[in-house]
Amino acid sequence: MKKLGFGTMRLPLLNPEDPASIDHEQFKEMTDLFLERGFVYFDTAYPYHQEHSEEAVREALVKRHPRDSFLLADKMPIIRVTSADDYPRYFEEQLERCGVEYFDYYLLHNMGRDRYENTKKFGGFAFVENLKKEGKIRKFGFSFHDDAETLEMILSEHPEVDFVQLQLNYLDWNSAVAQSGKCYETAVHHGKKVMVMEPVKGGTLAQLPEEAMEVFRAFYKDEPVMPSPASLAIRYAATLPATEIVLSGMSSVSQLEDNTSFMSDFKPLSEKEKKLVNEITGILNRTIKVPCTSCKYCLEECPISVNIPEYFGLLNLHAVTGKKTNMYYQRFSMNHAKASECLKCGKCERICPQHIAIRTYLEEFAKLYE
Ligand code: SF4
Ligand code: SF4
């Protein structure tokens, strides 16, 4: 199987302010092109695009292509599970939303220490294992957002898991918070295959600051076609031997064309490219302030809809360039609460997979922009 997977959490939109307004026609075009180029893996989840990603997959992929021509991964929203009865209810709903009779890959979504305790309490692992016995799923895993110690505990207690999905990118490899490297080594130690999410860290590694871009351009100056920074990040993740799939949340035909171009005939990073990655990582670590991936989980939890990811994007931009862009703040806060209106309830921080001190950074942002 080719190592690039289509993550359907950042699909093209008709209205950039409305995550539910998926551009179905463009997604169909992207789906067809992806399959034509020999890629087969699609990844969706219950909450993506305000719960519209699964039905978009049904319309663009399932209804228009033979079931054995693609592999589909979906995820149980364990954060919403409050009793054992919720598992079959969500699963049946997901089959219906996607229009399929089975999933090739099925994951417990967004596993971490707290959610692990809940999943054990309500029998989540046994439920999913049983789905596999019944043939309703083919392979069973979980997506993970916590530290390597927690991953070690879960994999030791649940050797039946087939694979893990990890946030893995070159910037987070040695990060004390995301612990990409340590988590990867833990998965390898347990003999698990790894599905990679966030290989470009929510776009951060696709749009490098100018200082890093200068180094990047100089390195590839003799190439007939200048590669994209995203290609370096995706190839980095795909070069790791235990990586089965690298998911890319593609948002346009052009992004898909770029991603599939270098992953069609995948070449692992050379030793020189690995040194380039180290150099760029050093530059980024000096400049990036908030390790936000724009996953928007916090936005869904926030009772007053503070536009956290966009505000953090502006905070990072200021850290790199020293510039404020008031026009963007006006736009980003138009249908959202301002940073200074934060209630300090902490709901966002409880769900943030990156464990970001959101309230503290919002205060800093408010001082800067308000
Ligand atoms: S702490 Fe502030 S930003 Fe976070 S969920 Fe509460 S109100 Fe929203
Ligand atoms: S602050 Fe955390 S939850 Fe919110 S978008 Fe960023 S990474 Fe995701």
Side-chain angles (χ1 to χ4, degrees):
M1 177 165 58
K2 286 186 173 163
K3 281 191 169 185
L4 180 69
F6 195 150
T8 62
M9 78 295 279
R10 293 191 180 93
L11 293 173
L13 298 175
L14 294 170
N15 171 6
E17 299 287 320
D18 177 9
S21 69
I22 295 168
D23 180 346
H24 290 278
E25 290 314 307
Q26 190 173 171
F27 181 36
K28 282 177 187 168
E29 194 184 332
M30 292 165 75
T31 299
D32 295 352
L33 193 57
F34 192 70
L35 290 168
E36 264 168 36
R37 294 188 172 188
F39 298 88
V40 292
Y41 193 97
F42 291 79
D43 170 276
T44 185
Y46 193 89
Y48 292 168
H49 285 282
Q50 293 181 339
E51 301 187 17
H52 291 284
S53 169
E54 289 167 321
E55 67 188 36
V57 166
R58 181 188 65 216
E59 296 304 311
L61 176 68
V62 178
K63 278 189 177 175
R64 301 171 58 252
H65 296 277
R67 181 64 183 92
D68 60 2
S69 67
F70 60 86
L71 297 170
L72 183 58
D74 204 347
K75 312 186 192 79
M76 170 65 67
I78 55 175
I79 195 161
R80 301 182 187 211
V81 170
T82 55
S83 77
D85 295 341
D86 285 342
Y87 291 120
R89 190 168 62 76
Y90 279 118
F91 185 75
E92 290 304 321
E93 193 181 346
Q94 289 181 297
L95 288 179
E96 199 179 317
R97 281 182 177 189
C98 292
V100 295
E101 290 178 350
Y102 67 92
F103 292 111
D104 302 279
Y105 293 78
Y106 195 69
L107 301 90
L108 298 166
H109 193 185
N110 200 351
M111 184 64 76
R113 193 173 284 269
D114 293 352
R115 288 179 281 279
Y116 180 53
E117 292 308 320
N118 238 25
T119 305
K120 279 202 296 191
K121 187 165 114 194
F122 298 128
F125 282 87
F127 173 77
V128 180
E129 215 191 340
N130 208 38
L131 290 178
K132 194 172 159 184
K133 284 185 192 139
E134 292 172 355
K136 291 181 177 171
I137 65 170
R138 300 276 156 86
K139 287 190 180 173
F140 150 43
F142 57 86
S143 59
F144 184 74
H145 291 279
D146 210 322
D147 56 27
E149 195 185 326
T150 305
L151 184 60
E152 171 64 35
M153 175 182 72
I154 299 174
L155 290 178
S156 299
E157 292 179 9
H158 290 283
E160 74 277 18
V161 165
D162 295 310
F163 67 95
V164 289
Q165 186 158 307
L166 300 178
Q167 174 179 309
L168 200 159
N169 54 67
Y170 64 75
L171 190 59
D172 285 333
W173 186 258
N174 289 315
S175 147
V177 179
Q179 298 192 355
S180 277
K182 282 187 184 167
C183 287
Y184 173 83
E185 299 298 347
T186 303
V188 169
H189 173 71
H190 285 270
K192 305 301 174 195
K193 283 289 180 190
V194 174
M195 308 299 184
V196 173
M197 55 185 163
E198 300 292 358
V200 292
K201 203 170 165 61
T204 303
L205 305 181
Q207 288 179 318
L208 298 174
E210 189 47 35
E211 187 185 347
M213 271 314 288
E214 278 173 20
V215 174
F216 183 87
R217 281 193 290 261
F219 184 89
Y220 290 111
K221 67 179 185 327
D222 296 329
E223 292 291 318
V225 180
M226 177 66 63
S228 64
S231 73
L232 184 68
I234 291 173
R235 286 177 54 232
Y236 171 88
T239 298
L240 296 162
T243 296
E244 183 150 309
I245 280 289
V246 182
L247 294 171
S248 177
M250 293 172 278
S251 308
S252 64
V253 173
S254 60
Q255 268 178 21
L256 188 135
E257 280 176 337
D258 177 56
N259 285 193
T260 52
S261 66
F262 59 82
M263 289 301 284
S264 284
D265 180 21
F266 168 65
K267 289 191 181 56
L269 291 193
S270 66
E271 288 309 310
K272 280 186 181 167
E273 284 179 308
K274 287 179 187 169
K275 283 186 187 147
L276 170 68
V277 162
N278 287 342
E279 196 175 342
I280 292 174
T281 303
I283 296 170
L284 291 174
N285 279 333
R286 285 204 313 273
T287 50
I288 287 179
K289 193 177 185 77
V290 192
C292 172
T293 63
S294 290
C295 68
K296 299 196 171 92
Y297 291 166
C298 54
L299 199 48
E300 286 167 20
E301 286 297 300
C302 177
I304 56 169
S305 190
V306 177
N307 200 350
I308 301 164
E310 298 292 10
Y311 299 168
F312 286 172
L314 291 180
L315 203 53
N316 280 336
L317 196 67
H318 180 261
V320 174
T321 63
K323 287 184 191 146
K324 282 202 297 177
T325 42
N326 290 314
M327 189 187 73
Y328 280 121
Y329 186 39
Q330 273 171 16
R331 170 136 51 98
F332 293 152
S333 57
M334 201 178 289
N335 298 313
H336 295 275
K338 289 188 177 301
S340 58
E341 290 170 323
C342 167
L343 307 169
K344 309 269 186 252
C345 66
K347 287 185 176 174
C348 52
E349 291 181 20
R350 285 198 283 282
I351 198 167
C352 175
Q354 312 307 323
H355 311 288
I356 294 169
I358 294 175
R359 289 170 287 187
T360 307
Y361 281 120
L362 281 178
E363 266 180 36
E364 188 178 332
F365 177 81
K367 274 187 200 143
L368 185 69
Y369 267 88
E370 296 178 31

